[in-house]
Amino acid sequence: MDTNTNPSSSYSPLQGDPRTQNIDAEFGELISKIAQVFGRMAQVKGRRATHSYGTVAKGRLRVLDSLKIPDHKIFKPGEEYPVLLRHANIKGFPDDAILDGRGATVRILAQKSNNGHLNLEESIVDILMSTGRCFILGDAASFGRWVSSSMEERAAMLKEFPKIKPIFDEIIRDPDSYTQLHYYSETTYHFISLNQGPFFVRYRLVNRENPTADTGWIDPPYVKMPLEFLPRVASDTRPETYLQDDFRRRVQTEGVRYLLQIQLQSISDSTEKNEEAKDCTIPWEEEAFPFYDVAVLELDTILSDELAEPLEFNPYNAPPELGLILAHSARETASLNHLRSIVYQISADMRKYQTPSSTLVNWGSDTQPSLAQQYPYTDGSPRFDATKPLPARLQPKPRYWANFGLHLLPNQQLSPALPELGITGVEQIMGPSTTLYMPPNLTRTRLDKFSDDFFVERRLNGFNPGQLRAVSDKPWQYEIHYDCSNYGVEPSGILPSLITARFSFCGQYLHPHSIEFTLDRKTETQQPGDEDWEWSKRLFRCAEFVFQEIQTHLAQTHMNMDQYAMAYYRNIVNNPIRLLLESHFEGLLNINKLGAGLIIGDTGFIPEASSLTPTEVNEVLSDYISRLNYRHWTPHTHTLPDRVLNNHFDPASITMWNILGTYVKNFFVEHQDGIKHYWHEIEAMSRELVTHSILKPELGTLAVESIADLEQLCLYIIYHSTFFHSWVNNKQYEDGGDVSYSTIGIWDTYHPTYDPLKVAEREAKQVVLLWTLSHVRYNPIMDVGPTMLKDLIWHHREDIEPGIAIADLMMSINI
């Protein structure tokens, strides 16, 4: 982005906000560009663009009884106010051991309302401070250049602006505690006294008990510009949250006391002197402008994340007596704080996925898209419209593409003499031989893969679990039934219209009893030892593959969760359930959009490799989703009533359901106040679910009518997004990676339309795709999951791991 361009002649300042009413075209255009950059950063992060990870403490601010400053409306001797203070790292790294600037934001709140409740959004003034007396650049124009510059261009700016390096030497710190630093406002504000006229003011915050402590200095030679931070030192073993943890501990055990100080400078008749006073690259030397003690902050409570995260701090939040100084031009020294106020507002709106104000930023149109417009539905379906672009919030993160690229690399030609790299390149190079050269799967390593015992074991623990149903008054006790009678078949395709596998229970094991199938309008039953017994098992594996992909994998996980994600994204902004659900939705709509062409659709894997048409695949999907309801659902209803010794899915499934139940319940206990406070967002989400639902009316409603409903919904979403999808997705290559054992399509070699080359291509596509789907491992729970959830899984791993390794459990449906 080039922010150092001439203003467009067609640009006119936006109206409706004091910050845009008296600015020139260049400044207006710069505001738009920088605000969009920072706003989109915040939207992608789902957090503040800068100062992303922080801790907020609450307490009281008491103005000192004796003051040496002019009389002031806010800073009256002995006055007390509720106060918030947020500590964070400036660049927004979650790792406190990365050497960075450190921030402190003070919000002085209005007194409690008549009902006794404190409104955390009712700010008298927000005072934004950080380490270092100065900021690196003095106006919005030069800052815009820095933001848009490459590292090489920034290196050139270091020579143009020699102040930058020594200023950074003051800003970047390596402290042991946030409480042992000095924090400065750096920028200049108004100070309107009651009896002595206007002044300029700057703020400082210091430790009340040890006001001279300003620690964590780094030797200037180690501050390597133009990088704005220093990576964690290799020998540093401190926890990533050591500063946050220290601050929380101090507040909760002994309390933290800070001293708020101000410097004052008279406003001059000279424009030049006033510009110098507002120049944030020039410190106000204490000899000329001493710091006056104003108030003591006494912090004794840590604000919960559900209340802290939605807070929007902004230098524009101030009364006229302490007001933000506005600028006309991007070259004025006040322009930097002016710009920051708008950038922070847009960033706050966009990180919470609201529509940013078009009065502050030129978005290129008069009407900005609403959340409903950003997340459009497919006609007649409760899914995201895959033909529309994903919002910036849902764009895959670089870490995702890095992980994904290890298994599905784009085609790249290193040289004319070398083959293309990547999965598509593999298919092109090997052609029909692809299936022979792909890595081995479970069945290729099993000498007994065609045995009856292995046939039973895969029905229990394979990629399509939970399909066995108990029956009574039959010579067998369990069966799995698939009905394909409503679906057409390609001329050379073979797919039974009906097929049922039956199993007997004896000695705590299941044994195959028989398979009955209808093919070409002829029904027959095969039992172990019969001439066509192996053929009947192959038919069953094919039908199972079709229904595994369409119903169990795509419908029950991907598309089923899509409808809940859509209702969530279109309505949840502040409700704390975003802290619970956001990570479990990550990547879902992106992979569903990709899968719309890769898996289904006219050229998708299922219609290409199976004998079903794209229309029939969509019909199976829609029909299955129309029978899925989160209300009262539990995996217990699908477990076998008998204890089968080699049944690993049922114990793992029930264990995970119980673990997640504890995890969700504890979250609701901790965040119940915030959930109730923002219940209107849940009501809107509920209406969304009901409006777009294709659930069969006789199966109830998807409405969320109570806290209990919401808790059940969250449990249902997380179970399917983590355990169930991990099982059905990650095990696909175990069965489908060997075309001699299982294919999604079987073909009549005697039919006139049979094409062996096309079949080989279909089988190659199956093996390559299932390899990719089964081997991408992005965001494993045991790596990135919440500590409580990881601990619960670890302590119950013996009940889970016979079926699936806990390392293979992912946080969300992202592949």
Side-chain angles (χ1 to χ4, degrees):
M1 182 191 72
D2 181 9
T3 57
N4 194 32
T5 57
N6 293 324
S8 169
S9 59
S10 64
Y11 179 84
S12 60
L14 300 166
Q15 302 298 317
D17 187 280
R19 289 167 287 177
T20 64
Q21 289 180 346
N22 187 32
I23 58 176
D24 64 22
E26 179 192 35
F27 193 20
E29 203 161 286
L30 179 66
I31 286 173
S32 287
K33 290 179 179 180
I34 298 297
Q36 289 179 65
V37 169
F38 278 78
R40 286 182 175 131
M41 283 172 57
Q43 194 171 51
V44 170
K45 281 186 176 182
R47 292 179 174 271
R48 293 166 175 82
T50 60
H51 304 76
S52 307
Y53 297 85
T55 299
V56 178
K58 181 164 67 77
R60 302 290 296 177
L61 180 144
R62 181 177 58 83
V63 181
L64 299 180
D65 293 331
S66 177
L67 298 174
K68 297 180 180 180
I69 63 173
D71 292 344
H72 193 267
K73 180 179 179 181
I74 306 301
F75 298 125
K76 298 180 192 175
E79 190 76 59
E80 289 192 3
Y81 302 95
V83 71
L84 303 177
L85 184 143
R86 184 178 191 268
H87 277 310
N89 304 320
I90 292 177
K91 295 295 291 182
F93 295 108
D95 185 358
D96 293 340
I98 291 176
L99 309 187
D100 188 8
R102 315 296 175 171
T105 298
V106 171
R107 167 168 287 182
I108 301 176
L109 293 160
Q111 298 292 343
K112 292 183 178 178
S113 60
N114 294 333
N115 61 9
H117 293 295
L118 185 64
N119 184 350
L120 301 180
E121 297 288 358
E122 193 173 347
S123 168
I124 293 177
V125 61
D126 288 350
I127 307 172
L128 283 63
M129 295 171 281
S130 62
T131 48
R133 294 173 299 164
C134 303
F135 188 67
I136 60 171
L137 293 161
D139 58 52
S142 56
F143 177 69
R145 284 180 57 196
W146 182 267
V147 168
S148 63
S149 292
S150 65
M151 285 298 173
E152 292 78 9
E153 291 167 333
R154 289 186 180 184
M157 289 185 70
L158 289 172
K159 297 179 180 179
E160 182 181 352
F161 300 98
K163 288 182 180 181
I164 293 178
K165 176 60 169 64
I167 289 175
F168 258 115
D169 293 343
E170 282 195 32
I171 291 174
I172 298 179
R173 300 294 181 88
D174 182 21
D176 293 325
S177 173
Y178 281 130
T179 65
Q180 303 301 311
L181 296 167
H182 287 180
Y183 300 94
Y184 298 82
S185 62
E186 300 174 345
T187 52
T188 306
Y189 298 83
H190 282 304
F191 181 97
I192 310 299
S193 70
L194 293 174
N195 53 11
Q196 297 184 37
F199 294 82
F200 292 132
V201 64
R202 289 185 180 180
Y203 300 90
R204 182 170 76 173
L205 190 74
V206 301
N207 188 296
R208 179 69 176 88
E209 316 304 332
N210 187 13
T212 61
D214 191 16
T215 63
W217 293 85
I218 301 168
D219 288 341
Y222 291 101
V223 180
K224 305 293 186 182
M225 298 294 293
L227 201 62
E228 299 174 313
F229 63 92
L230 299 180
R232 172 188 276 260
V233 176
S235 59
D236 191 344
T237 59
R238 292 174 297 185
E240 287 191 350
T241 56
Y242 82 92
L243 287 174
Q244 308 288 338
D245 295 341
D246 171 79
F247 181 60
R248 288 174 180 269
R249 179 188 60 77
R250 289 174 184 264
V251 169
Q252 292 170 329
T253 59
E254 60 202 47
V256 169
R257 302 178 77 209
Y258 284 117
L259 182 63
L260 182 66
Q261 302 173 319
I262 64 172
Q263 289 175 295
L264 295 174
Q265 185 172 164
S266 298
I267 297 178
S268 169
D269 293 333
S270 167
T271 300
E272 182 179 352
K273 287 185 178 179
N274 288 339
E275 280 296 292
E276 182 176 331
K278 291 181 285 184
D279 190 337
C280 59
T281 67
I282 301 175
W284 291 3
E285 298 300 338
E286 292 187 49
E287 292 78 7
F289 307 104
F291 280 101
Y292 297 106
D293 295 344
V294 171
V296 173
L297 286 72
E298 298 176 339
L299 308 171
D300 56 17
T301 304
I302 294 296
L303 209 63
S304 66
D305 288 343
E306 67 185 82
L307 298 176
E309 186 60 24
L311 296 175
E312 301 176 11
F313 299 103
N314 196 305
Y316 192 57
N317 294 335
E321 295 82 5
L322 297 171
L324 178 73
I325 302 173
L326 299 181
H328 170 70
S329 162
R331 313 288 170 169
E332 296 174 28
T333 52
S335 64
L336 193 67
N337 220 16
H338 186 157
L339 170 69
R340 179 168 68 159
S341 74
I342 297 179
V343 167
Y344 280 18
Q345 181 168 332
I346 296 300
S347 176
D349 284 347
M350 293 182 70
R351 74 182 168 89
K352 295 197 293 185
Y353 323 123
Q354 297 172 341
T355 303
S357 171
S358 61
T359 64
L360 299 178
V361 173
N362 179 14
W363 295 93
S365 64
D366 294 329
T367 304
Q368 298 307 310
S370 65
L371 285 174
Q373 292 170 320
Q374 293 177 50
Y375 297 92
Y377 282 99
T378 300
D379 291 341
S381 171
R383 295 163 16 207
F384 180 81
D385 186 347
T387 66
K388 299 297 191 296
L390 282 176
R393 172 189 182 184
L394 303 186
Q395 293 295 333
K397 297 176 174 58
R399 188 165 60 88
Y400 175 79
W401 286 127
N403 185 288
F404 195 83
L406 294 174
H407 304 282
L408 187 62
L409 295 169
N411 294 333
Q412 296 183 21
Q413 193 78 33
L414 296 181
S415 78
L418 294 175
E420 287 184 301
L421 299 177
I423 293 297
T424 305
V426 168
E427 292 185 60
Q428 292 173 347
I429 297 163
M430 298 181 182
S433 300
T434 298
T435 57
L436 301 178
Y437 298 114
M438 286 296 290
N441 71 327
L442 175 67
T443 62
R444 277 174 55 184
T445 63
R446 297 280 302 214
L447 297 177
D448 64 342
K449 66 180 180 182
F450 294 120
S451 70
D452 290 350
D453 287 344
F454 190 68
F455 181 77
V456 172
E457 194 276 336
R458 298 319 291 162
R459 310 292 76 75
L460 291 168
N461 304 311
F463 66 175
N464 199 26
Q467 304 301 318
L468 283 154
R469 297 291 180 266
V471 296
S472 57
D473 302 324
K474 301 284 187 182
W476 56 91
Q477 286 72 50
Y478 293 94
E479 64 182 31
I480 302 174
H481 177 75
Y482 295 115
D483 184 349
C484 314
S485 58
N486 292 327
Y487 313 124
V489 178
E490 287 188 25
S492 62
I494 298 174
L495 184 68
S497 55
L498 298 168
I499 190 164
T500 305
R502 302 154 174 170
F503 304 87
S504 301
F505 179 68
C506 180
Q508 293 192 301
Y509 285 95
L510 289 181
H511 306 275
H513 177 277
S514 59
I515 296 176
E516 181 181 275
F517 61 89
T518 300
L519 185 63
D520 297 331
R521 300 183 181 179
K522 177 184 176 182
T523 300
E524 61 179 285
T525 301
Q526 295 288 323
Q527 293 183 319
D530 288 348
E531 181 179 0
D532 289 330
W533 172 241
E534 293 301 326
W535 166 243
S536 67
K537 287 195 294 183
R538 187 182 181 199
L539 278 178
F540 181 86
R541 291 194 295 267
C542 175
E544 178 185 61
F545 204 149
V546 170
F547 282 93
Q548 190 275 343
E549 284 299 336
I550 302 176
Q551 293 183 336
T552 309
H553 184 202
L554 287 180
Q556 189 168 340
T557 64
H558 283 262
M559 302 311 175
N560 183 26
M561 292 301 102
D562 202 310
Q563 65 182 330
Y564 296 110
M566 286 290 286
Y568 166 85
Y569 286 131
R570 288 162 64 107
N571 296 283
I572 301 302
V573 175
N574 294 304
N575 196 288
I577 68 162
R578 64 191 175 81
L579 303 175
L580 178 66
L581 294 181
E582 187 76 18
S583 60
H584 298 295
F585 281 137
E586 184 187 343
L588 172 66
L589 297 191
N590 170 62
I591 200 64
N592 286 358
K593 177 179 169 67
L594 293 175
L598 185 65
I599 309 295
I600 56 179
D602 292 342
T603 59
F605 159 67
I606 297 177
E608 281 280 300
S610 75
S611 58
L612 300 183
T613 66
T615 299
E616 288 164 340
V617 171
N618 284 328
E619 288 176 358
V620 179
L621 268 175
S622 298
D623 177 70
Y624 199 73
I625 294 172
S626 73
R627 292 183 271 131
L628 299 174
N629 190 342
Y630 81 91
R631 297 167 69 92
H632 313 299
W633 188 94
T634 168
H636 292 78
T637 58
H638 301 286
T639 56
L640 307 187
D642 297 304
R643 183 171 182 269
V644 179
L645 290 181
N646 62 341
N647 174 18
H648 302 311
F649 173 76
D650 283 353
S653 173
I654 298 304
T655 298
M656 278 298 298
W657 181 261
N658 293 338
I659 284 172
L660 295 173
T662 300
Y663 169 59
V664 170
K665 186 173 293 295
N666 286 345
F667 180 90
F668 270 69
V669 170
E670 181 181 354
H671 298 277
Q672 58 183 329
D673 291 343
I675 291 171
K676 292 176 182 177
H677 182 74
Y678 293 106
W679 187 256
H680 63 280
E681 293 182 0
I682 304 300
E683 292 174 336
M685 182 178 73
S686 175
R687 288 192 296 270
E688 195 88 60
L689 284 171
V690 172
T691 299
H692 295 277
S693 170
I694 59 172
L695 181 69
K696 295 181 184 297
E698 63 269 21
L699 297 179
T701 177
L702 297 184
V704 182
E705 299 172 337
S706 65
I707 290 285
D709 284 348
L710 181 61
E711 189 172 328
Q712 167 70 11
L713 172 63
C714 292
L715 175 55
Y716 179 84
I717 289 171
I718 297 173
Y719 171 86
H720 282 87
S721 299
T722 58
F723 171 79
F724 194 72
H725 179 263
S726 295
W727 185 293
V728 302
N729 179 79
N730 297 358
K731 286 176 174 281
Q732 291 181 98
Y733 195 69
E734 290 183 0
D735 293 78
D738 177 2
V739 296
S740 69
Y741 175 79
S742 182
T743 57
I744 197 170
I746 301 178
W747 313 97
D748 182 359
T749 58
Y750 296 103
H751 196 278
T753 62
Y754 172 71
D755 182 348
L757 182 59
K758 185 176 182 180
V759 169
E761 291 171 349
R762 286 169 159 171
E763 292 177 346
K765 184 182 290 290
Q766 170 183 312
V767 174
V768 168
L769 178 64
L770 297 192
W771 162 264
T772 302
L773 297 180
S774 298
H775 288 82
V776 172
R777 294 288 190 271
Y778 177 69
N779 279 357
I781 293 176
M782 300 307 291
D783 178 26
V784 302
T787 300
M788 177 189 174
L789 181 55
K790 291 194 286 189
D791 286 346
L792 286 168
I793 292 174
W794 178 255
H795 286 104
H796 292 86
R797 65 190 182 279
E798 292 182 358
D799 297 320
I800 301 171
E801 289 214 306
I804 185 171
I806 61 172
D808 290 343
L809 297 174
M810 303 296 115
M811 284 290 285
S812 62
I813 302 169
N814 51 64
I815 182 60

